[in-house]
Amino acid sequence: VLAPRRGWIFPGLDQRLATAPALGSGAPPSRPYAAAAKTAKKGSQKTKQEETKKKQVTKRRLLMSKPVDDVYLTWYYERPSYNLEEAVGMLKKFQELDFTHPKQYVYINVFLDMALQKKKKVDPFASAVLLPYRFTDETNKVLVFTENEQEAEIARENGAAVVGGVELIKWILEDEIQVDFYVAVPAIMPKLIPLRNKLRRKYPSARRNSLGHDIPKMLQLFREGLEYMVEDENIIKTRIARV
């Protein structure tokens, strides 16, 4: 601490230092300004931590009225919401003002309630969906696992990129074959176990609609469908259209 005089910090300190006994005199030096040590009570530190947490969690109170200016602190007001027609109109207006490409993608954030009973949560998942209006001409490459020649012919007619049986396992493990999705018929599944760790979430599964007998339906879903997955435990972020 910087100060011009010691007396300004502790009044009367000069007098006490002048009357202090010399070293080796036998009398212990007095400490009139020292605080006595107190024994810490059990649980006192935990109580202080809880009080600190309570102080930190202070909610900002929203104002009831709407802002009257175009410059304001957003967290003081409720976030505005718009219906679908208004929102699309705003996106088109922003695109014109920003001189961006008119065919840019429109994205959506979906917040899910993943809570279950007894304090459990739904595990994050991934899936695919067929949208009523496709906004891209791109199609995914899909591999079909089957050893039935008739089923293989149906798969080729419906746009499968690769069709085959167990002979494809080695090429997939060595990364000689790489596609976007894998579908299979139930009869061949016991022979595909070596690919479980390699394909992981893309491993054919009835829960993801990539395992079944309806090959044309599975091919349409994964060739033209939109894949989405849950991120950050409960959020789906994906594109749904073009401006």
Side-chain angles (χ1 to χ4, degrees):
V1 178
L2 300 178
R5 292 181 55 192
R6 286 179 298 178
W8 290 7
I9 305 175
F10 298 108
L13 181 61
D14 295 333
Q15 291 81 356
R16 289 196 295 271
L17 291 175
T19 58
L23 294 174
S25 59
S30 61
R31 299 173 62 189
Y33 53 85
K38 295 181 179 180
T39 57
K41 296 181 180 180
K42 292 183 178 180
S44 61
Q45 187 175 2
K46 186 177 181 181
T47 306
K48 289 181 179 179
Q49 291 176 353
E50 292 177 354
E51 291 178 355
T52 307
K53 288 182 179 179
K54 290 181 180 179
K55 291 180 180 178
Q56 290 176 352
V57 183
T58 54
K59 296 183 178 179
R60 294 169 175 167
R61 189 173 66 178
L62 300 176
L63 299 182
M64 298 301 294
S65 60
K66 295 182 179 180
V68 296
D69 201 350
D70 57 353
V71 179
Y72 57 92
L73 298 175
T74 56
W75 56 80
Y76 282 136
Y77 300 89
E78 292 185 6
R79 192 171 185 177
S81 60
Y82 308 93
N83 60 40
L84 182 59
E85 188 175 354
E86 286 180 304
V88 172
M90 293 172 66
L91 288 175
K92 291 182 177 181
K93 185 177 180 180
F94 296 156
Q95 179 268 319
E96 294 175 357
L97 294 174
D98 294 339
F99 298 99
T100 54
H101 200 280
K103 289 188 177 182
Q104 63 182 302
Y105 290 113
V106 177
Y107 290 82
I108 186 173
N109 290 356
V110 183
F111 294 85
L112 305 177
D113 182 4
M114 305 284 277
L116 294 175
Q117 296 178 353
K118 298 182 180 180
K119 297 182 180 181
K120 293 183 179 180
K121 289 185 178 180
V122 180
D123 294 329
F125 59 90
S127 186
V129 62
L130 268 178
L131 298 179
Y133 303 100
R134 297 192 65 226
F135 52 86
T136 177
D137 296 329
E138 301 173 0
T139 56
N140 300 314
K141 294 181 180 180
V142 183
L143 183 149
V144 178
F145 286 111
T146 180
E147 292 182 323
N148 185 294
E149 188 57 37
Q150 188 176 0
E151 292 176 340
E153 187 62 28
I154 294 174
R156 295 188 190 98
E157 291 176 355
N158 285 271
V162 182
V163 182
V166 293
E167 71 277 2
L168 301 179
I169 295 178
K170 180 181 178 181
W171 295 345
I172 295 173
L173 291 174
E174 296 177 356
D175 295 326
E176 293 292 334
I177 295 178
Q178 293 183 353
V179 296
D180 299 308
F181 296 101
Y182 301 83
V183 301
V185 294
I188 199 175
M189 285 305 296
K191 301 178 182 180
L192 301 182
I193 294 178
L195 292 175
R196 185 184 294 274
N197 293 332
K198 177 70 175 181
L199 301 184
R200 296 186 180 182
R201 65 181 181 85
K202 291 187 177 183
Y203 188 75
S205 168
R207 188 177 63 178
R208 294 199 59 202
N209 299 315
S210 56
L211 175 64
H213 294 284
D214 195 340
I215 295 177
K217 184 178 180 180
M218 291 190 297
L219 280 171
Q220 183 185 15
L221 174 62
F222 289 100
R223 287 184 74 246
E224 304 176 5
L226 175 70
E227 185 186 26
Y228 64 90
M229 65 182 64
V230 178
E231 303 176 18
D232 301 327
E233 295 187 353
N234 68 329
I235 305 175
I236 295 176
K237 303 176 183 179
T238 185
R239 58 189 185 185
I240 58 169
R242 291 185 186 269
V243 175

